Amino acid sequence: MASKAEKIVAGLGGIDNIEEIEGCITRLRTEVVDPTKVDETALKAAGAHGVVKMGNAIQVVIGTDADPIAADIEDMM
């Protein structure tokens, strides 16, 4: 079974699509290579409360576990 971090990576279009990721209180702030690969439905299925897209900048609202999830994703990169 995939971890929450792995599901979020998949929803962001895969590890190769993530240029940068940072935990910020309740959000994952990311820069992606190709925003068309971001799957909001998959991110919400992984536990995201919301997704904010601004060009290549994607914010995934996931709650207070944002920092540990960001660390897990950084370890995958």
Side-chain angles (χ1 to χ4, degrees), residues 4-5 7 9 11-12 16 18 26 36 52 55 61 63 67 72 76:
K4 190 170 187 176
K7 291 176 185 174
V9 166
L12 289 170
D16 292 336
I18 301 170
T26 61
T36 65
V52 180
V61 183
D67 284 326
D72 289 347
M76 292 182 216

Side-chain angles (χ1 to χ4, degrees), residues 38-59:
V38 175
D39 183 344
E40 281 190 58
T41 304
L43 289 169
K44 288 182 179 176
H49 303 291
V51 179
V52 180
K53 294 181 177 181
M54 295 167 288
N56 287 26
I58 310 294
Q59 293 183 18

